[in-house]
Amino acid sequence: MSAPEPLHPLAGFARAGRHGPADSPAPLRIALPAREIVQVMVRRGRDGDLAEALRRDLALELPVAGRTTASGGVTAIWIQPGGWYLHAPRGGEGVLAARIAASCAGLAAIDDQSHGRTTLGIAGMRAREILARGCRLDLHPRVFGPGHATTTMIGHINCVIHQTDAAPAYELTLFSTLAETFLDWLVETAAEDGVEIA
């Protein structure tokens, strides 16, 4: 087992503070939340059993296509038919994966993605418009709002986008190896609005 990563993969790359126009009234806020990320893929014919196990052991309902659910600090994000990411704040190495594996033994394939994927938090009055500059997905609040999630290309990089509140605020999950490239694109794209990195 590899040693835990104490910091977000972008911690040594992202320069904290304000970037772009200092007088911008609504900068894009970027956060680097440390997440445990576990991919769950249901085994054929075990959909109901998997849902019941997670309901029983985590009080967590699996979301339908395009949606998310949350309970007890764990967020379930639909990523494809029969597949979900389960996110939780980073704790001990492999804690969430072990918990899910124990609950879902024989019902699903469990893959700890905490090292291979990373999450960026994006928020601000113009966050929707900034993301739309590199995304063909319709992010209008009539069709994509809090609790919605999907996989899409943003800035030519594949992301799972999850809207967390109506502010609007989003969490984007992507390959850790592409996180620096994505952050560069995001900061450059939002430069005229200003950027604030936590």
Side-chain angles (χ1 to χ4, degrees), residues 2 6 28 45-46 50 59-60 68 70-71 80 90 99 101 104 108 112 117 122 145 148 150 153 162 169 178 194:
S2 60
L28 180 72
R46 305 307 298 271
L50 175 65
L60 184 67
T68 68
S71 177
Q80 66 183 70
R90 180 71 62 92
R99 184 179 177 196
C104 304
D112 192 341
R117 302 286 193 279
I122 311 294
H148 283 78
T150 193
M153 300 292 284
H162 162 213
L178 298 175

Side-chain angles (χ1 to χ4, degrees), residues 68-90:
T68 68
T69 57
S71 177
V74 178
T75 299
I77 302 171
W78 183 91
I79 55 171
Q80 66 183 70
W84 299 265
Y85 279 154
L86 301 187
H87 284 210
R90 180 71 62 92

Side-chain angles (χ1 to χ4, degrees), residues 48-117:
D49 297 327
L50 175 65
E52 177 55 34
L54 291 173
R55 189 179 300 122
R56 178 191 67 232
D57 297 339
L58 281 80
L60 184 67
E61 296 287 340
L62 284 174
V64 298
R67 296 300 182 119
T68 68
T69 57
S71 177
V74 178
T75 299
I77 302 171
W78 183 91
I79 55 171
Q80 66 183 70
W84 299 265
Y85 279 154
L86 301 187
H87 284 210
R90 180 71 62 92
E93 179 72 4
V95 170
L96 181 62
R99 184 179 177 196
I100 301 303
S103 177
C104 304
L107 305 177
I110 309 299
D111 189 12
D112 192 341
Q113 294 286 330
S114 303
H115 292 271
R117 302 286 193 279

Side-chain angles (χ1 to χ4, degrees), residues 123-135:
M125 189 171 66
R126 290 180 49 76
R128 181 180 292 111
E129 289 80 2
I130 291 166
L131 289 176
R133 293 171 189 168
C135 174

